Amino acid sequence: MSRVTDFINLSLNSSTIVAEYIWIGGSGLDLRSKARTLSTPIDDPQKLPKWNYDGSSTGQAHGNETEVILYPQAVFKDPFRRDNSILVLCDAYNSFEDPIYTNKRFNAAKIFGHPDVVREAPWFGIEQEYTLLQKDTKWPLGWPQGGFPSPQGPYYCGVGAEKAFGRDIVDAHYKACLYAGITIGGVNAEVMPGQWEFQVGPSPGLTAADELWVARYILERVAEIAGVIVSFSSKPVPGDWNGAGAHTNYSTKSMRKEGGYEAIEKAIKKLELRHKEHIASYGEGNEDRLTGNHETADINTFSWGVATRGASIRVGRETAKERKGYFEDRRPGSNMDPYVVTSMIAETTILWKP
Amino acid sequence: MSLLSDLVNLDLSSSTEKIIAEYIWIGGSGVDLRSKARTLPGPESDPSKLPKWNYDGSSTNQAPGEDSEIIIYPQAIYKDPFRRGNNILVMCDAYTPQGDPIPTNKRHNAAKIFSHSDVIAEEPWFGIEQEYTLLQKDVKWPIGWPIGGYPGPQGPYYCGTGADKAFGRDIVDAHYKACLYAGINICGTNGEVMPGQWEFQVGPSEGIAAGDQVWVARYILERITEIAGVVLSFDPKPIPGDWNGAGAHTNYSTKSMRSDGGFDVIRKAIGKLEKRHKEHMAAYGEGNERRLTGKHETADMNNFKWGVANRGASVRVGRETEKANKGYFEDRRPSSNMDPYVVTSMIAETTIIWQP
């Protein structure tokens, strides 16, 4: 295969670049992409041409009106093609310039553009958990066929052939994201074997969600190369095995400055009052994960605490000590839409009045 | 899979100043190693300038779920042989949020001993011979051994070569270079008496550095066996019967022992170790009683004896040291799963500070 690889890694000498346009498909979770040639390097999304795709093939258009228009919104370096080639994250519109139903970015952009929100400069750090599955059986990577590995305990941040499954995918993804320009803060092996986590942020408002979507895309491309499947299911294996979440760390200007702990407590109070609304938007199948066991809080009950992992919201010891900082919303499932979650947290805590 | 390797081996230095730091700590069993990575804004070589971090102690048996944060303090930096570039490995020790070392943190006490003025003055050097066994992944039987059976008896394997005598050399050689790259003071390797068993030596290193380097060398070894799909065991007697166990012989000297006439100091030091034999044995590794039987080049666990060039002794003095009347000696009692922070600091404490 090395001759094929030689071509994939061929350096393009001219100013020609390839741009991979990425968008979210009809399920709201599946990622799609296609590539086009551009005659000169461009890194400003506003200068990139709009494009379109066949929405009837992704469950996003009906009848005779099949063209869905892609508006470039964010540009990253392409870690697969390298040179000056780029990844372009887009959101989707119909030909009348209205966002299509699955386009959650449009509404998030409105919330993050609101002057009160802009003033508070919200930052997000998202901990994306995911599970690697064997390709043909859809059973977690490293697990014996028709059986289970020994119980959880040795796997969290573990090392060794019988404890860590798929590290090459994780490490390739880490470097690829750094190369692409994503603010990836770290990685670790998770409690369930074959499960991993990476963190994106802290990034402001809309950028955090853009970066998370592109990081997910890069992850799926890397796993594709490795012949392994990525699952964002929030409870991939029932029973005494941890689920997968997307804990969302959050702070505003008021929370980060001296005495900000008061702003944190107020914000958490507002989130408590809108618990049901948030939970409804925090990802499909989350009720299988949020049981009160396996370091989660029960889905129907809102709770918060310092350094406690069994709560809906956790405040770190450092923040409690300094009386300022950030807090962690542990409720979102790994399959959540970061546009929805981040904008909803900002909206509830900054704009909404009880 | 070369496309995957291309990404794993990507050289980021032309696209970003950022580096990746892999923080390493010792887990709840006192022998299991854990690690996770974070991005830092630029290269760093001073551990005191690295940020403290924390991890979920309830997942490693080191804290309850209601108060799970354990803080890790960076103590030593090595170059990362897996990520290369300016990326680093960071050896840490673990504390409660209030700043107290947690029970499995043996480094804290060792550091205190090694900062005692009498100990500093004696410049204690350690050379640790780490033995280990490689096991096949799903059956946990040594590599190269037939499933459901045994290889031919011990004899041909020690420092042996050949497909029927040396099992897993690629792991050993990859580990050797990776440690040298990382900046670990690895001074050699050899195939051991039991087939599938190997040894590497770290040292001579001074004071607390010996412990740090052995732990990071163990981490690098387990990362390599992970890549090779092989299981690493530090069990002191992995196979019962007529098969050698695995130890961590600890070679030791102080400034006085290394100076002319130092053999006298060596004799005195060994005398002190004899008096504290029981205390040392209790701290020299779990399961050591299965290894220290008096056979297979060990001394019986309950008896202390020493001798020149004697491999059946608790402590062995080399002929070279006897001839030069100065040098070092080898404590053969520690097992392969010993904690080097405990063993090195205890030897220093007994021989330099302790008075009978």
Side-chain angles (χ1 to χ4, degrees):
Chain A
M1 284 299 262
S2 72
R3 295 182 65 180
V4 176
T5 310
D6 290 344
F7 284 112
I8 293 175
N9 290 335
L10 200 56
S11 192
L12 301 174
N13 294 327
S14 59
S15 61
T16 310
I17 70 158
V18 177
E20 186 87 30
Y21 280 51
I22 301 165
W23 70 95
I24 298 161
S27 75
L29 187 61
D30 59 309
L31 281 159
R32 309 277 179 152
S33 74
K34 56 173 180 163
R36 65 188 295 178
T37 310
L38 298 176
S39 55
T40 169
I42 301 178
D43 51 23
D44 179 353
Q46 300 306 312
K47 297 204 170 73
L48 286 165
K50 291 187 166 83
W51 206 8
N52 65 77
Y53 69 91
D54 172 13
S56 67
S57 291
T58 59
Q60 290 170 304
H62 307 285
N64 299 320
E65 195 58 53
T66 58
E67 262 182 34
V68 179
I69 321 296
L70 294 172
Y71 292 24
Q73 298 292 1
V75 173
F76 298 89
K77 287 168 60 173
D78 184 338
F80 307 102
R81 294 194 178 95
R82 301 192 277 279
D83 284 341
N84 290 316
S85 292
I86 53 178
L87 302 177
V88 184
L89 182 63
C90 307
D91 62 346
Y93 298 76
N94 60 26
S95 34
F96 306 103
E97 295 180 6
D98 302 312
I100 66 171
Y101 171 68
T102 44
N103 178 352
K104 306 301 182 190
R105 189 185 195 281
F106 186 80
N107 192 53
K110 282 208 299 206
I111 290 171
F112 285 117
H114 189 293
D116 291 351
V117 175
V118 172
R119 203 168 15 245
E120 278 291 355
W123 290 356
F124 297 89
I126 305 172
E127 304 167 39
Q128 176 72 69
E129 292 179 334
Y130 61 93
T131 313
L132 297 173
L133 307 177
Q134 300 170 51
K135 188 161 82 86
D136 299 321
T137 58
K138 305 276 178 70
W139 198 227
L141 189 64
W143 292 36
Q145 288 317 313
F148 295 84
S150 51
Q152 296 183 152
Y155 311 110
Y156 170 74
C157 300
V159 183
E162 77 282 33
K163 288 166 271 173
F165 309 134
R167 190 192 298 273
D168 48 355
I169 291 169
V170 181
D171 281 350
H173 175 251
Y174 199 163
K175 280 195 176 179
C177 284
L178 278 174
Y179 177 94
I182 297 199
T183 315
I184 182 166
V187 303
N188 64 270
E190 269 302 329
V191 176
M192 180 177 117
Q195 207 169 78
W196 295 84
E197 168 180 316
F198 65 88
Q199 306 99 32
V200 168
S203 300
L206 209 48
T207 307
D210 285 339
E211 292 193 340
L212 189 67
W213 273 115
V214 178
R216 284 176 173 180
Y217 174 81
I218 291 173
L219 178 61
E220 195 149 31
R221 285 284 304 272
V222 172
E224 181 188 306
I225 291 169
V228 160
I229 291 179
V230 178
S231 166
F232 290 113
S233 163
S234 42
K235 189 76 176 181
V237 183
D240 200 2
W241 304 101
N242 272 32
H247 303 160
T248 300
N249 297 278
Y250 173 65
S251 70
T252 59
K253 207 171 197 173
S254 307
M255 296 175 197
R256 294 190 289 269
K257 64 175 205 247
E258 286 309 310
Y261 203 79
E262 208 190 298
I264 289 175
E265 282 175 317
K266 282 206 180 84
I268 294 178
K269 191 75 217 162
K270 288 191 181 186
L271 288 170
E272 178 167 18
L273 292 168
R274 292 195 87 205
H275 178 64
K276 277 197 158 48
E277 287 87 340
H278 277 247
I279 285 290
S281 300
Y282 273 13
E284 294 292 316
N286 216 0
E287 60 281 2
D288 296 329
R289 177 181 75 102
L290 295 180
T291 58
N293 295 327
H294 302 112
E295 300 166 277
T296 69
D298 171 71
I299 194 167
N300 297 311
T301 318
F302 182 95
S303 63
W304 76 277
V306 177
T308 164
R309 283 178 154 79
S312 318
I313 293 197
R314 163 175 159 267
V315 174
R317 283 223 169 275
E318 197 63 33
T319 293
K321 205 167 76 169
E322 308 268 307
R323 307 303 293 165
K324 63 178 176 178
Y326 67 97
F327 64 82
E328 177 193 28
D329 187 346
R330 292 175 65 80
R331 298 172 294 172
S334 44
N335 56 0
M336 62 83 154
D337 185 327
Y339 293 129
V340 171
V341 170
T342 58
S343 61
M344 199 171 190
I345 291 174
E347 185 184 41
T348 295
T349 58
I350 301 172
L351 300 174
W352 183 72
K353 301 273 173 260
Chain B
M1 288 300 256
S2 67
L3 290 179
L4 195 61
S5 306
D6 289 341
L7 289 171
V8 172
N9 292 331
L10 208 49
D11 178 1
L12 295 169
S13 53
S14 45
S15 35
T16 177
E17 273 282 299
K18 294 180 180 177
I19 67 153
I20 301 172
E22 186 86 31
Y23 280 51
I24 303 164
W25 70 94
I26 298 161
S29 74
V31 193
D32 60 307
L33 281 159
R34 309 274 179 155
S35 74
K36 55 174 180 161
R38 67 188 293 182
T39 309
L40 295 176
E44 187 52 74
S45 52
D46 180 355
S48 64
K49 297 213 172 65
L50 288 172
K52 294 187 167 90
W53 206 7
N54 65 76
Y55 69 91
D56 173 13
S58 68
S59 288
T60 58
N61 231 2
Q62 292 169 304
E66 322 80 64
D67 191 1
S68 57
E69 273 178 33
I70 296 204
I71 321 297
I72 34 183
Y73 294 20
Q75 298 292 0
I77 294 178
Y78 301 90
K79 287 170 58 167
D80 184 336
F82 306 101
R83 296 195 177 101
R84 297 190 214 117
N86 287 318
N87 302 308
I88 54 178
L89 303 178
V90 184
M91 186 65 210
C92 306
D93 62 346
Y95 296 78
T96 63
Q98 294 73 35
D100 303 310
I102 66 173
T104 42
N105 178 352
K106 306 300 184 191
R107 190 189 193 280
H108 185 79
N109 193 54
K112 283 209 297 212
I113 290 170
F114 285 120
S115 357
H116 189 293
S117 47
D118 292 350
V119 175
I120 292 178
E122 278 293 356
E123 291 170 31
W125 290 0
F126 299 92
I128 297 168
E129 307 168 35
Q130 175 73 69
E131 292 180 332
Y132 61 91
T133 315
L134 299 173
L135 308 176
Q136 301 171 49
K137 188 161 83 94
D138 298 319
V139 297
K140 304 274 178 74
W141 197 231
I143 66 168
W145 292 37
I147 303 297
Y150 295 82
Q154 296 183 152
Y157 311 110
Y158 171 72
C159 301
T161 68
D164 52 340
K165 287 163 269 170
F167 310 132
R169 190 191 299 274
D170 50 355
I171 290 169
V172 181
D173 281 351
H175 175 249
Y176 200 161
K177 282 197 176 178
C179 284
L180 282 172
Y181 177 94
I184 304 243
N185 211 359
I186 183 169
C187 51
T189 62
N190 63 271
E192 268 302 330
V193 176
M194 182 177 116
Q197 205 169 79
W198 296 83
E199 167 180 316
F200 65 88
Q201 306 99 32
V202 171
S205 304
E206 189 166 332
I208 196 83
D212 289 336
Q213 294 192 359
V214 169
W215 275 115
V216 178
R218 286 176 174 179
Y219 175 82
I220 291 172
L221 181 58
E222 194 151 32
R223 284 286 305 272
I224 290 172
T225 55
E226 183 189 305
I227 291 169
V230 159
V231 170
L232 175 62
S233 169
F234 288 116
D235 189 285
K237 190 77 176 181
I239 307 290
D242 200 4
W243 304 99
N244 272 32
H249 304 159
T250 301
N251 298 278
Y252 172 65
S253 69
T254 59
K255 197 171 187 180
S256 309
M257 296 174 196
R258 298 190 288 272
S259 325
D260 287 332
F263 200 91
D264 222 28
V265 184
I266 289 176
R267 252 191 280 264
K268 285 204 180 79
I270 295 178
K272 287 191 179 185
L273 289 172
E274 176 163 20
K275 294 199 166 74
R276 293 195 85 207
H277 179 64
K278 276 198 160 44
E279 287 87 340
H280 278 245
M281 283 318 309
Y284 272 13
E286 292 292 316
N288 215 359
E289 62 283 357
R290 292 181 279 124
R291 176 180 77 102
L292 296 180
T293 57
K295 304 206 194 81
H296 299 112
E297 299 163 274
T298 70
D300 171 72
M301 175 132 180
N302 299 310
N303 301 323
F304 182 97
K305 68 181 205 270
W306 76 277
V308 176
N310 181 358
R311 278 181 161 75
S314 320
V315 171
R316 161 175 157 267
V317 176
R319 285 233 173 270
E320 195 62 35
T321 292
E322 183 196 37
K323 209 163 71 172
N325 205 30
K326 64 180 175 179
Y328 67 97
F329 64 83
E330 179 194 26
D331 188 340
R332 293 175 65 78
R333 298 171 294 170
S335 63
S336 43
N337 59 358
M338 61 81 155
D339 186 326
Y341 293 132
V342 172
V343 169
T344 56
S345 62
M346 202 171 187
I347 291 174
E349 187 185 37
T350 295
T351 58
I352 300 172
I353 303 175
W354 183 72
Q355 298 307 327

